[in-house]
Amino acid sequence: MSVGIRHDDLRRRNRAMVISAVRRAGQPSRTEIAATTGLSHSTISAISADLIQEGILTESKASEPTALKRGRPQIGLALNPEAAAVLTVVLSLNFLSVAVIDYAGQVVAEEQQRLDTLVMPRDELIGECVAIVRRRLQDPDLDIGSVARIAMGIQGITDSNARAMLWSPITPLTDIPFADILEKEFGISATMENDCNMMAVALQWRDPERYRDDFIAILLSHGIGMGLVLKGALFTGTHSSGGEFGHMIHRPGGALCRCGRRGCVEAYAGNYAIWRSAMRMSEDAEPVDVGDADMRALAAKARERDGPEREAYRRAGEALGFGLGSLFALIDPAPVAMVGVSAAAFDLIEPALREAIAQTAGGQHSESISFDTEPNELPLIREGCAMRALTFVDQEIFAPGGLARAGKHVA
Amino acid sequence: MSVGIRHDDLRRRNRAMVISAVRRAGQPSRTEIAATTGLSHSTISAISADLIQEGILTESKASEPTALKRGRPQIGLALNPEAAAVLTVVLSLNFLSVAVIDYAGQVVAEEQQRLDTLVMPRDELIGECVAIVRRRLQDPDLDIGSVARIAMGIQGITDSNARAMLWSPITPLTDIPFADILEKEFGISATMENDCNMMAVALQWRDPERYRDDFIAILLSHGIGMGLVLKGALFTGTHSSGGEFGHMIHRPGGALCRCGRRGCVEAYAGNYAIWRSAMRMSEDAEPVDVGDADMRALAAKARERDGPEREAYRRAGEALGFGLGSLFALIDPAPVAMVGVSAAAFDLIEPALREAIAQTAGGQHSESISFDTEPNELPLIREGCAMRALTFVDQEIFAPGGLARAGKHVA
DNA sequence: AGGCTTTTTTTCGAGCCTCAAAAAAATAGT
DNA sequence: ACTATTTTTTTGAGGCTCGAAAAAAAGCCT
């Protein structure tokens, strides 16, 4: 059960708080930090002195634009880029991408690679992932010791502890404990995250005005995925990454889904479903993977004339609308970000989607629900992984709990 | 954003922790509390000395059954029943019920009343609620000053701050700020809670073994409601009480629901829906309220022979199953408690329900999902309200934050 | 230029809180 | 009656945060 607060936890938490305030605000002064955290100036001063002395933060007088103000000028505090580094690995359909990111969040190196995820045997898939990470870590420009965390993101279902991929549409393989594999291989703590959850994390950092406490990120691609932030925190299932919006039931016993079941939202709104419908194929037809270029061509044709293509997007909108309606019955309406190649065709989807939502419990405020679109999911996923890894370093390594507070008194 | 931890918060939180440990465990000794909270013996000793001196806890040597143990016998700590009292108000269809509960959780007085909620005008409904509370508060046996909190529970949608009823099936009225009304009338802080959420809270206290971190309470009655506990905490919507399982969409454009929309789960599984189907009425027929006795008779007939009655329950099970399937896609499967008059007919519902779930994403572990039934919802709702109010007193009144720590040094 | 004002940051003493260890209390066994 | 065992209380030390005051670092004004 929940445990009492130990006296030494106090400092730990407040350290984490200060780091987090700096990461969020860019270059806040001590006074700003005191204001946002509610702690006293003296506490902030003491903690930031520690953090600077430990090389985690740096003072940067860069706040020049405030030259017009009277009084002692504020000293901006910034994250020391060299304090640590993290590594992100994003595995998606036929594509593997790795990046090294410094503690301040800047990409310092990256590498990408095509590979046939759908047909690769287990050992080979794991081998390629390990190999690309190894290449990046052996880069002579990189101090390998500074890499404090690896965050891997994958399209598919992961477990709720962010250790393993349980199931993924990009490979027939299941239950690959990537986090354990990478940890064992490189001795660096690692996580395995769901791609859509990382998209949501990235949106929260990119545009905290709009995406703060409650919002939904939906991936419209080969499959339909969702990342959900409720009350400021990422929502996950009890055992898995959860939030499998694409596999909510739209029509019981309906169209065949890639997951093998029938009537899922994805079976109407996934790329393959739109394609299948546009080509007047049976709803029972085996799902096929459609390239992004083909999807863009399909959308163009749908815009051009009323026909089966337009009808396919209409049906997709309907499925998404009723799905969102059911979701909104549970969590109340929230802003939605549509991400992925079919988000670029959202103009074709939106009318039917709104019409469907209006028929559901969430529909009371149908007009007020706002949709954003972002056609490119990969940068978002990587950014989310990076922030995930960095905030872990902030909290678990630079504000460690209980023991391991060595080397603190001497410079 | 989240705020730093002040030094004085520490004591406050640990006080709350100790009280909570006592409420949960019954009569724990100081040593037991130290073990469960992770705090040191001396801290527990100091805090419990305070609490005893303030009259919140009492020492009770009642732990006789441990007579066989060596060493200094443990002194059990218990909640002082006279430390405070709370009042619960449960408003359901045509029924109003009030109870006074002492700080230890025992009911000390109660009163119930029939009333025609469906046709009462606004003033009258509010008036009756205020009047019954006033009668209880004026009871000469009750020290009115000790009543620290009123928790009201209602069937319907409440706002997420637990202040107002937004919409309810038991009355055509909407947006009644019951919490504010009661607070203003009696000067006692009050909340307005959703009935199913309170059922879930009650289950958590009644059977913490089974209902702890993740479970679902579903009310099968006139309407279909849900209380959801995820990761140990009650799940609510972003603006409303949320969790409107009954208004997830089962069949787009399907049967007419009491909420005015079509195809909701409730439009197939609510009492009126089962009745409508069993009577071979149209799916567009206006929902009617069916008495509990009629429903029990219907269930008996359905058990007796295969006919439209049995088919009606089958359809209800199907709707519930697909609804749960969609829910499980989002949160992963969890144990379910079925509550309410139709829970007594769960034997008729279960086969179709399981069959439906097996066709959904949650169905992978279809067999392992366990269902409990509890035909009587009212005691659960009251118990939930009581615990809600008591834990509020524990945390906000007996472990107050920041200021208001007067009258502490003198007995 | 020099003094004054304003704002930020640091320093210092006081007050709490928790912890660990020792002491005290209460009981069972010998 | 005495010892062993276990629980509870007491005590002293160390740490943390806070508020107030001092120090620092500018700009403003005469």
Side-chain angles (χ1 to χ4, degrees), chain A residues 7 10-11 14 39-40 42-43 67 69-73:
Chain A
H7 199 224
L10 229 166
R11 195 45 175 286
N14 287 342
L39 296 169
S40 73
S42 27
T43 304
K69 285 204 318 187
R70 245 154 98 111
R72 177 174 176 171

Short mmCIF file of all heavy atoms in Angstrom, two decimals, chain A residues 7 10-11 14 39-40 42-43 67 69-73, chain D residues 14-20 23-29:
data_model
loop_
_atom_site.label_atom_id
_atom_site.label_comp_id
_atom_site.label_asym_id
_atom_site.label_seq_id
_atom_site.Cartn_x
_atom_site.Cartn_y
_atom_site.Cartn_z
N HIS A 7 11.87 11.28 5.73
CA HIS A 7 12.41 12.61 5.81
C HIS A 7 13.35 12.90 4.66
O HIS A 7 13.39 14.00 4.11
CB HIS A 7 13.13 12.79 7.14
CG HIS A 7 13.32 14.22 7.49
ND1 HIS A 7 14.50 14.70 7.98
CD2 HIS A 7 12.50 15.27 7.40
CE1 HIS A 7 14.37 16.00 8.19
NE2 HIS A 7 13.17 16.37 7.85
N LEU A 10 12.24 13.97 1.10
CA LEU A 10 11.86 15.35 0.88
C LEU A 10 12.83 16.05 -0.05
O LEU A 10 12.43 16.63 -1.06
CB LEU A 10 11.85 16.05 2.24
CG LEU A 10 10.61 16.85 2.56
CD1 LEU A 10 10.57 17.20 4.02
CD2 LEU A 10 10.55 18.05 1.69
N ARG A 11 14.10 15.98 0.29
CA ARG A 11 15.09 16.62 -0.54
C ARG A 11 15.09 16.04 -1.93
O ARG A 11 15.16 16.73 -2.93
CB ARG A 11 16.48 16.47 0.10
CG ARG A 11 17.54 17.40 -0.49
CD ARG A 11 16.97 18.77 -0.62
NE ARG A 11 17.84 19.83 -1.05
CZ ARG A 11 18.78 20.40 -0.34
NH1 ARG A 11 19.04 19.98 0.86
NH2 ARG A 11 19.48 21.41 -0.82
N ASN A 14 12.24 17.38 -3.96
CA ASN A 14 12.39 18.78 -4.32
C ASN A 14 13.50 18.99 -5.34
O ASN A 14 13.40 19.87 -6.19
CB ASN A 14 12.58 19.61 -3.05
CG ASN A 14 11.29 19.72 -2.27
OD1 ASN A 14 10.22 19.48 -2.79
ND2 ASN A 14 11.39 20.07 -0.99
N LEU A 39 8.20 26.51 -3.40
CA LEU A 39 9.22 26.39 -2.35
C LEU A 39 9.84 27.75 -2.09
O LEU A 39 9.70 28.68 -2.89
CB LEU A 39 10.29 25.39 -2.80
CG LEU A 39 9.78 23.97 -3.00
CD1 LEU A 39 10.82 23.10 -3.69
CD2 LEU A 39 9.39 23.33 -1.68
N SER A 40 10.54 27.86 -0.98
CA SER A 40 11.12 29.16 -0.63
C SER A 40 12.39 29.41 -1.44
O SER A 40 13.02 28.49 -1.95
CB SER A 40 11.46 29.20 0.84
OG SER A 40 12.58 28.41 1.09
N SER A 42 15.23 30.26 -0.41
CA SER A 42 16.43 29.68 0.18
C SER A 42 16.57 28.21 -0.21
O SER A 42 17.67 27.74 -0.49
CB SER A 42 16.40 29.83 1.70
OG SER A 42 15.12 29.90 2.20
N THR A 43 15.45 27.51 -0.23
CA THR A 43 15.51 26.10 -0.62
C THR A 43 15.97 25.97 -2.07
O THR A 43 16.86 25.17 -2.38
CB THR A 43 14.13 25.46 -0.46
OG1 THR A 43 13.71 25.64 0.88
CG2 THR A 43 14.17 23.99 -0.79
N ALA A 67 16.98 43.12 -20.62
CA ALA A 67 17.88 44.23 -20.30
C ALA A 67 17.13 45.47 -19.83
O ALA A 67 17.72 46.36 -19.22
CB ALA A 67 18.73 44.58 -21.52
N LYS A 69 14.86 45.62 -17.61
CA LYS A 69 14.37 45.60 -16.23
C LYS A 69 15.39 46.18 -15.24
O LYS A 69 16.59 46.08 -15.44
CB LYS A 69 14.01 44.17 -15.83
CG LYS A 69 12.70 43.74 -16.45
CD LYS A 69 12.02 42.63 -15.65
CE LYS A 69 12.96 41.56 -15.16
NZ LYS A 69 12.25 40.44 -14.55
N ARG A 70 14.88 46.78 -14.21
CA ARG A 70 15.71 47.26 -13.12
C ARG A 70 16.09 46.12 -12.19
O ARG A 70 15.58 45.03 -12.32
CB ARG A 70 14.90 48.27 -12.30
CG ARG A 70 15.44 49.66 -12.36
CD ARG A 70 14.31 50.60 -12.12
NE ARG A 70 14.30 51.01 -10.72
CZ ARG A 70 14.58 52.25 -10.33
NH1 ARG A 70 14.93 53.13 -11.21
NH2 ARG A 70 14.49 52.58 -9.07
N GLY A 71 16.94 46.42 -11.27
CA GLY A 71 17.27 45.43 -10.26
C GLY A 71 18.33 44.44 -10.72
O GLY A 71 18.74 44.43 -11.88
N ARG A 72 18.74 43.63 -9.81
CA ARG A 72 19.76 42.63 -10.14
C ARG A 72 19.21 41.70 -11.21
O ARG A 72 18.10 41.17 -11.09
CB ARG A 72 20.10 41.83 -8.89
CG ARG A 72 21.08 40.71 -9.13
CD ARG A 72 21.48 40.07 -7.82
NE ARG A 72 22.35 38.94 -8.03
CZ ARG A 72 22.98 38.31 -7.06
NH1 ARG A 72 22.83 38.72 -5.81
NH2 ARG A 72 23.76 37.30 -7.30
N PRO A 73 19.95 41.53 -12.28
CA PRO A 73 19.41 40.70 -13.36
C PRO A 73 19.30 39.23 -12.95
O PRO A 73 20.10 38.74 -12.14
CB PRO A 73 20.44 40.88 -14.48
CG PRO A 73 21.68 41.30 -13.81
CD PRO A 73 21.31 41.98 -12.54
P DG D 14 25.38 14.65 15.00
OP1 DG D 14 26.66 13.99 14.67
OP2 DG D 14 25.35 16.00 15.57
"O5'" DG D 14 24.47 14.64 13.70
"C5'" DG D 14 23.95 13.40 13.22
"C4'" DG D 14 22.94 13.69 12.13
"O4'" DG D 14 21.69 14.11 12.73
"C3'" DG D 14 23.36 14.82 11.18
"O3'" DG D 14 23.15 14.37 9.85
"C2'" DG D 14 22.44 15.99 11.56
"C1'" DG D 14 21.20 15.25 12.05
N9 DG D 14 20.38 15.99 12.99
C8 DG D 14 20.79 16.74 14.07
N7 DG D 14 19.81 17.29 14.73
C5 DG D 14 18.66 16.87 14.04
C6 DG D 14 17.30 17.15 14.29
O6 DG D 14 16.81 17.83 15.18
N1 DG D 14 16.47 16.52 13.36
C2 DG D 14 16.91 15.74 12.32
N2 DG D 14 15.99 15.23 11.54
N3 DG D 14 18.18 15.48 12.07
C4 DG D 14 19.01 16.08 12.98
P DG D 15 23.72 15.24 8.60
OP1 DG D 15 24.61 14.37 7.83
OP2 DG D 15 24.15 16.57 9.10
"O5'" DG D 15 22.38 15.46 7.76
"C5'" DG D 15 21.18 15.17 8.40
"C4'" DG D 15 20.01 15.40 7.50
"O4'" DG D 15 18.97 15.90 8.36
"C3'" DG D 15 20.19 16.48 6.43
"O3'" DG D 15 19.30 16.23 5.35
"C2'" DG D 15 19.85 17.75 7.17
"C1'" DG D 15 18.76 17.28 8.14
N9 DG D 15 18.82 17.99 9.41
C8 DG D 15 19.94 18.33 10.13
N7 DG D 15 19.68 18.99 11.22
C5 DG D 15 18.29 19.09 11.23
C6 DG D 15 17.43 19.71 12.17
O6 DG D 15 17.72 20.30 13.20
N1 DG D 15 16.09 19.58 11.79
C2 DG D 15 15.67 18.93 10.66
N2 DG D 15 14.34 18.90 10.47
N3 DG D 15 16.46 18.36 9.78
C4 DG D 15 17.76 18.48 10.13
P DC D 16 19.46 17.06 3.99
OP1 DC D 16 19.46 16.09 2.88
OP2 DC D 16 20.55 18.06 4.12
"O5'" DC D 16 18.08 17.86 3.94
"C5'" DC D 16 16.85 17.16 4.10
"C4'" DC D 16 15.76 18.14 4.41
"O4'" DC D 16 15.94 18.59 5.77
"C3'" DC D 16 15.84 19.39 3.54
"O3'" DC D 16 14.74 19.44 2.64
"C2'" DC D 16 15.80 20.56 4.52
"C1'" DC D 16 15.55 19.93 5.86
N1 DC D 16 16.37 20.55 6.94
C2 DC D 16 15.74 21.23 7.98
O2 DC D 16 14.51 21.32 7.98
N3 DC D 16 16.50 21.78 8.95
C4 DC D 16 17.83 21.67 8.92
N4 DC D 16 18.53 22.23 9.90
C5 DC D 16 18.48 20.98 7.86
C6 DC D 16 17.73 20.44 6.89
P DT D 17 14.66 20.61 1.57
OP1 DT D 17 13.92 20.09 0.42
OP2 DT D 17 16.01 21.20 1.40
"O5'" DT D 17 13.76 21.69 2.32
"C5'" DT D 17 12.50 21.30 2.84
"C4'" DT D 17 11.88 22.45 3.61
"O4'" DT D 17 12.69 22.69 4.80
"C3'" DT D 17 11.85 23.77 2.84
"O3'" DT D 17 10.53 24.28 2.84
"C2'" DT D 17 12.83 24.67 3.57
"C1'" DT D 17 12.89 24.08 4.96
N1 DT D 17 14.20 24.26 5.64
C2 DT D 17 14.25 24.87 6.86
O2 DT D 17 13.27 25.29 7.44
N3 DT D 17 15.51 24.98 7.40
C4 DT D 17 16.71 24.54 6.84
O4 DT D 17 17.77 24.70 7.42
C5 DT D 17 16.58 23.91 5.55
C7 DT D 17 17.80 23.40 4.85
C6 DT D 17 15.35 23.80 5.01
P DC D 18 10.19 25.63 2.12
OP1 DC D 18 8.80 25.51 1.63
OP2 DC D 18 11.27 25.96 1.19
"O5'" DC D 18 10.20 26.66 3.34
"C5'" DC D 18 9.48 26.32 4.52
"C4'" DC D 18 9.58 27.45 5.53
"O4'" DC D 18 10.85 27.38 6.20
"C3'" DC D 18 9.48 28.84 4.90
"O3'" DC D 18 8.54 29.63 5.58
"C2'" DC D 18 10.90 29.41 5.02
"C1'" DC D 18 11.49 28.63 6.19
N1 DC D 18 12.95 28.37 6.01
C2 DC D 18 13.84 28.69 7.04
O2 DC D 18 13.40 29.19 8.08
N3 DC D 18 15.16 28.43 6.86
C4 DC D 18 15.58 27.89 5.72
N4 DC D 18 16.89 27.65 5.59
C5 DC D 18 14.69 27.56 4.66
C6 DC D 18 13.38 27.82 4.84
P DG D 19 7.96 30.93 4.89
OP1 DG D 19 6.50 30.90 5.11
OP2 DG D 19 8.51 31.03 3.53
"O5'" DG D 19 8.58 32.10 5.77
"C5'" DG D 19 8.53 32.01 7.19
"C4'" DG D 19 9.44 33.04 7.81
"O4'" DG D 19 10.82 32.59 7.70
"C3'" DG D 19 9.37 34.41 7.13
"O3'" DG D 19 9.29 35.41 8.15
"C2'" DG D 19 10.67 34.50 6.33
"C1'" DG D 19 11.62 33.59 7.11
N9 DG D 19 12.60 32.89 6.28
C8 DG D 19 12.40 32.31 5.06
N7 DG D 19 13.46 31.73 4.56
C5 DG D 19 14.43 31.94 5.52
C6 DG D 19 15.81 31.55 5.53
O6 DG D 19 16.43 30.92 4.69
N1 DG D 19 16.44 31.98 6.70
C2 DG D 19 15.85 32.68 7.71
N2 DG D 19 16.62 32.99 8.74
N3 DG D 19 14.57 33.06 7.71
C4 DG D 19 13.93 32.65 6.58
P DA D 20 9.23 36.93 7.77
OP1 DA D 20 8.27 37.54 8.72
OP2 DA D 20 9.03 37.07 6.32
"O5'" DA D 20 10.68 37.43 8.14
"C5'" DA D 20 11.30 36.96 9.35
"C4'" DA D 20 12.69 37.53 9.46
"O4'" DA D 20 13.60 36.72 8.67
"C3'" DA D 20 12.83 38.96 8.92
"O3'" DA D 20 13.74 39.68 9.75
"C2'" DA D 20 13.38 38.76 7.52
"C1'" DA D 20 14.26 37.53 7.72
N9 DA D 20 14.44 36.71 6.52
C8 DA D 20 13.53 36.44 5.53
N7 DA D 20 13.98 35.67 4.58
C5 DA D 20 15.28 35.41 4.95
C6 DA D 20 16.30 34.64 4.37
N6 DA D 20 16.16 33.97 3.21
N1 DA D 20 17.50 34.59 5.00
C2 DA D 20 17.64 35.26 6.14
N3 DA D 20 16.75 36.00 6.80
C4 DA D 20 15.59 36.04 6.14
P DA D 23 26.03 42.27 5.03
OP1 DA D 23 27.27 41.93 5.73
OP2 DA D 23 25.53 43.66 5.01
"O5'" DA D 23 26.12 41.74 3.53
"C5'" DA D 23 26.27 40.35 3.32
"C4'" DA D 23 26.13 40.06 1.84
"O4'" DA D 23 24.75 40.18 1.44
"C3'" DA D 23 26.93 41.01 0.93
"O3'" DA D 23 27.67 40.22 0.03
"C2'" DA D 23 25.85 41.85 0.24
"C1'" DA D 23 24.68 40.88 0.22
N9 DA D 23 23.35 41.48 0.16
C8 DA D 23 22.82 42.41 0.99
N7 DA D 23 21.58 42.74 0.69
C5 DA D 23 21.27 41.95 -0.40
C6 DA D 23 20.11 41.81 -1.19
N6 DA D 23 18.99 42.50 -0.98
N1 DA D 23 20.15 40.93 -2.21
C2 DA D 23 21.28 40.24 -2.41
N3 DA D 23 22.43 40.28 -1.75
C4 DA D 23 22.35 41.16 -0.74
P DA D 24 28.69 40.93 -1.00
OP1 DA D 24 29.86 40.05 -1.14
OP2 DA D 24 28.86 42.36 -0.64
"O5'" DA D 24 27.84 40.87 -2.34
"C5'" DA D 24 27.35 39.61 -2.76
"C4'" DA D 24 26.57 39.78 -4.05
"O4'" DA D 24 25.29 40.39 -3.75
"C3'" DA D 24 27.24 40.68 -5.08
"O3'" DA D 24 27.17 40.04 -6.34
"C2'" DA D 24 26.41 41.96 -5.06
"C1'" DA D 24 25.04 41.43 -4.68
N9 DA D 24 24.14 42.36 -4.01
C8 DA D 24 24.41 43.17 -2.94
N7 DA D 24 23.37 43.89 -2.54
C5 DA D 24 22.37 43.51 -3.42
C6 DA D 24 21.02 43.91 -3.53
N6 DA D 24 20.44 44.81 -2.72
N1 DA D 24 20.28 43.35 -4.51
C2 DA D 24 20.87 42.45 -5.31
N3 DA D 24 22.12 42.00 -5.30
C4 DA D 24 22.81 42.58 -4.32
P DA D 25 28.18 40.48 -7.50
OP1 DA D 25 28.68 39.23 -8.12
OP2 DA D 25 29.10 41.50 -7.00
"O5'" DA D 25 27.19 41.18 -8.53
"C5'" DA D 25 26.09 40.43 -9.05
"C4'" DA D 25 25.09 41.37 -9.67
"O4'" DA D 25 24.38 42.08 -8.63
"C3'" DA D 25 25.72 42.44 -10.57
"O3'" DA D 25 25.11 42.41 -11.84
"C2'" DA D 25 25.45 43.75 -9.83
"C1'" DA D 25 24.18 43.40 -9.06
N9 DA D 25 23.92 44.22 -7.89
C8 DA D 25 24.80 44.61 -6.92
N7 DA D 25 24.26 45.35 -5.98
C5 DA D 25 22.93 45.46 -6.35
C6 DA D 25 21.83 46.11 -5.78
N6 DA D 25 21.89 46.82 -4.65
N1 DA D 25 20.63 46.00 -6.41
C2 DA D 25 20.58 45.30 -7.54
N3 DA D 25 21.54 44.64 -8.18
C4 DA D 25 22.70 44.76 -7.52
P DA D 26 25.85 42.92 -13.11
OP1 DA D 26 25.11 42.42 -14.28
OP2 DA D 26 27.27 42.63 -12.96
"O5'" DA D 26 25.71 44.51 -13.04
"C5'" DA D 26 25.00 45.20 -14.05
"C4'" DA D 26 23.53 45.29 -13.69
"O4'" DA D 26 23.39 45.21 -12.26
"C3'" DA D 26 22.92 46.62 -14.08
"O3'" DA D 26 22.37 46.51 -15.38
"C2'" DA D 26 21.83 46.84 -13.04
"C1'" DA D 26 22.26 45.97 -11.85
N9 DA D 26 22.66 46.74 -10.65
C8 DA D 26 23.90 46.81 -10.09
N7 DA D 26 23.96 47.54 -9.00
C5 DA D 26 22.66 47.97 -8.83
C6 DA D 26 22.05 48.79 -7.86
N6 DA D 26 22.73 49.32 -6.83
N1 DA D 26 20.73 49.04 -7.99
C2 DA D 26 20.07 48.50 -9.01
N3 DA D 26 20.54 47.71 -9.99
C4 DA D 26 21.85 47.49 -9.84
P DG D 27 22.34 47.73 -16.34
OP1 DG D 27 21.98 47.27 -17.70
OP2 DG D 27 23.58 48.47 -16.11
"O5'" DG D 27 21.13 48.58 -15.77
"C5'" DG D 27 19.80 48.08 -15.87
"C4'" DG D 27 18.85 49.00 -15.13
"O4'" DG D 27 19.33 49.19 -13.78
"C3'" DG D 27 18.74 50.40 -15.75
"O3'" DG D 27 17.39 50.83 -15.65
"C2'" DG D 27 19.66 51.24 -14.87
"C1'" DG D 27 19.48 50.57 -13.50
N9 DG D 27 20.62 50.71 -12.62
C8 DG D 27 21.92 50.27 -12.83
N7 DG D 27 22.72 50.54 -11.84
C5 DG D 27 21.92 51.20 -10.92
C6 DG D 27 22.24 51.74 -9.65
O6 DG D 27 23.33 51.73 -9.07
N1 DG D 27 21.13 52.33 -9.04
C2 DG D 27 19.88 52.37 -9.59
N2 DG D 27 18.95 52.98 -8.86
N3 DG D 27 19.57 51.88 -10.77
C4 DG D 27 20.63 51.31 -11.38
P DC D 28 16.91 52.11 -16.40
OP1 DC D 28 15.54 51.88 -16.89
OP2 DC D 28 17.99 52.51 -17.31
"O5'" DC D 28 16.84 53.15 -15.20
"C5'" DC D 28 15.94 52.91 -14.12
"C4'" DC D 28 15.95 54.07 -13.16
"O4'" DC D 28 17.19 54.03 -12.38
"C3'" DC D 28 15.89 55.46 -13.80
"O3'" DC D 28 14.94 56.24 -13.10
"C2'" DC D 28 17.32 55.99 -13.66
"C1'" DC D 28 17.79 55.30 -12.37
N1 DC D 28 19.26 55.05 -12.29
C2 DC D 28 19.95 55.44 -11.14
O2 DC D 28 19.34 56.00 -10.23
N3 DC D 28 21.29 55.18 -11.07
C4 DC D 28 21.92 54.57 -12.07
N4 DC D 28 23.23 54.34 -11.95
C5 DC D 28 21.22 54.16 -13.25
C6 DC D 28 19.91 54.42 -13.32
P DC D 29 14.43 57.59 -13.73
OP1 DC D 29 12.97 57.67 -13.51
OP2 DC D 29 15.00 57.76 -15.08
"O5'" DC D 29 15.13 58.63 -12.75
"C5'" DC D 29 15.09 58.40 -11.35
"C4'" DC D 29 15.99 59.39 -10.64
"O4'" DC D 29 17.34 58.91 -10.65
"C3'" DC D 29 16.00 60.78 -11.29
"O3'" DC D 29 15.76 61.77 -10.30
"C2'" DC D 29 17.40 60.90 -11.89
"C1'" DC D 29 18.22 59.97 -10.98
N1 DC D 29 19.40 59.36 -11.64
C2 DC D 29 20.62 59.32 -10.94
O2 DC D 29 20.68 59.81 -9.81
N3 DC D 29 21.70 58.75 -11.55
C4 DC D 29 21.58 58.23 -12.78
N4 DC D 29 22.66 57.67 -13.32
C5 DC D 29 20.35 58.25 -13.49
C6 DC D 29 19.29 58.82 -12.89
#
